[in-house]
Amino acid sequence: MTKQTYREVKREANVGERIRIVNPQFALGYGEGDEGTTTERVSVGIYAMLNGGKRGVYHREYVVLEPVTSANTPDISDAFTQFIRDNADTIRAILGDVAKTEPAALTRAAVIEKARADVAELTRKMRSPIANSDGNRTFNTLTSKPEFYINRNKRAVTVLVRGIYGNAILERGIAKAAPDDVFHAEIGKAIALRRALGLAVPSEYTNAPKPTEKLANMLIRCVSGETRKLTDSTADFNVRNCSMLHSWNGRNGTVIDDTDVDYTEGAAA
């Protein structure tokens, strides 16, 4: 009988799956290279049968051993290659009829919502650092909380990461909108917090799509140089213009801040 072989996969284990210890840190009754079967999942790790006993293991200490196909399984690669050769013309014709689809681009409303959810999730993880394996030492080992400061005049967000106990400042992060960007506080908070925690910043935050039309509560820099907030979402005239008396300025002005816009379903993004 052929011996079962496994491949190592870095992910959280499910009950019944086999694991191998690769990074023992709080090891009690097990060490590097030990293998066992997962018996229970908890928020920060698992329990597994290791060395004859049930041991608690953090997620960052192990890899999952996934079974791989037996070496005795017939190799169909040659047969498949020959099939492609024999039916090349038919396959080309079929593929030519398949319309190429591009993934839908995120709207500005979707990016804002993603940033808001990201901050909430990171804030939750900051209170349970033992389960975090990426980012800096503060994110991985210390219990902390974010404290945000929003300066809309400077189009910037600053976050102070403070310890839960003692309130000491552990990290700082800053996000500032470029001159040609449209500022939004939620996107700025996500960027600043990720920088403070040593995490990668998704490109959709730094290259968020700009609003496609002027909506109520946007801040507009008018052609005249003044800054105004659009009001009355039900009156098209007021929404599109800086003021009743300066309609040309408003229609041709630039959106600089949409933090207060309510991007409800169906609204332009």
Side-chain angles (χ1 to χ4, degrees):
M1 179 180 293
T2 303
K3 182 179 179 180
Q4 178 67 64
T5 58
Y6 298 87
R7 62 183 174 191
E8 296 184 356
V9 179
K10 185 59 181 175
R11 63 172 174 81
E12 295 183 6
N14 296 312
V15 173
E17 289 187 312
R18 193 166 184 81
I19 66 160
R20 175 179 293 147
I21 302 299
V22 295
N23 184 32
Q25 295 182 12
F26 302 93
L28 292 175
Y30 60 90
E32 185 172 358
D34 287 344
E35 297 181 7
T37 302
T38 305
T39 59
E40 183 181 348
R41 285 171 55 99
V42 293
S43 61
V44 298
I46 60 169
Y47 284 97
M49 292 301 297
L50 294 164
N51 298 327
K54 185 177 181 181
R55 317 291 183 185
V57 183
Y58 291 106
H59 289 312
R60 60 189 181 197
E61 294 185 273
Y62 66 85
V63 293
V64 177
L65 297 177
E66 293 186 347
V68 297
T69 305
S70 170
N72 292 331
T73 301
D75 186 357
I76 65 170
S77 59
D78 291 341
F80 181 74
T81 300
Q82 188 60 49
F83 173 82
I84 295 296
R85 292 192 181 114
D86 294 343
N87 298 275
D89 292 340
T90 302
I91 293 171
R92 288 193 191 97
I94 294 173
L95 293 178
D97 293 335
V98 177
K100 183 179 180 180
T101 57
E102 297 291 341
L106 285 176
T107 64
R108 184 166 181 83
V111 173
I112 292 168
E113 187 55 38
K114 178 178 179 178
R116 183 180 289 114
D118 194 15
V119 170
E121 177 63 10
L122 289 175
T123 300
R124 183 191 67 80
K125 288 184 175 181
M126 291 165 70
R127 295 178 178 272
S128 302
I130 200 66
N132 304 326
S133 58
D134 51 357
N136 56 25
R137 179 178 176 275
T138 294
F139 190 50
N140 288 330
T141 63
L142 302 177
T143 305
S144 59
K145 60 185 178 182
E147 184 175 286
F148 293 101
Y149 296 88
I150 300 170
N151 189 326
R152 295 176 68 175
N153 289 329
K154 293 185 177 180
R155 294 155 46 82
V157 176
T158 301
V159 62
L160 301 181
V161 175
R162 292 184 179 273
I164 293 292
Y165 308 104
N167 212 38
I169 297 175
L170 306 174
E171 307 286 349
R172 290 180 174 84
I174 299 175
K176 184 175 176 60
D180 60 342
D181 282 343
V182 178
F183 176 80
H184 196 288
E186 294 296 337
I187 297 176
K189 287 165 66 175
I191 294 173
L193 185 56
R194 282 185 161 272
R195 287 174 175 168
L197 299 176
L199 299 169
V201 177
S203 60
E204 52 262 43
Y205 293 168
T206 54
N207 299 302
K210 295 180 180 179
T212 57
E213 65 175 310
K214 294 182 175 69
L215 299 173
N217 296 318
M218 285 180 172
L219 291 181
I220 307 293
R221 181 175 292 121
C222 300
V223 175
S224 61
E226 61 186 327
T227 298
R228 289 182 179 270
K229 190 173 191 176
L230 300 182
T231 58
D232 190 358
S233 61
T234 62
D236 182 64
F237 183 81
N238 287 343
V239 170
R240 290 186 294 106
N241 304 287
C242 276
S243 70
M244 291 286 195
L245 301 178
H246 298 86
S247 60
W248 183 81
N249 278 328
R251 280 196 297 270
N252 294 281
T254 302
V255 180
I256 60 173
D257 185 330
D258 64 342
T259 297
D260 298 328
V261 174
D262 180 14
Y263 282 109
T264 55
E265 184 176 358

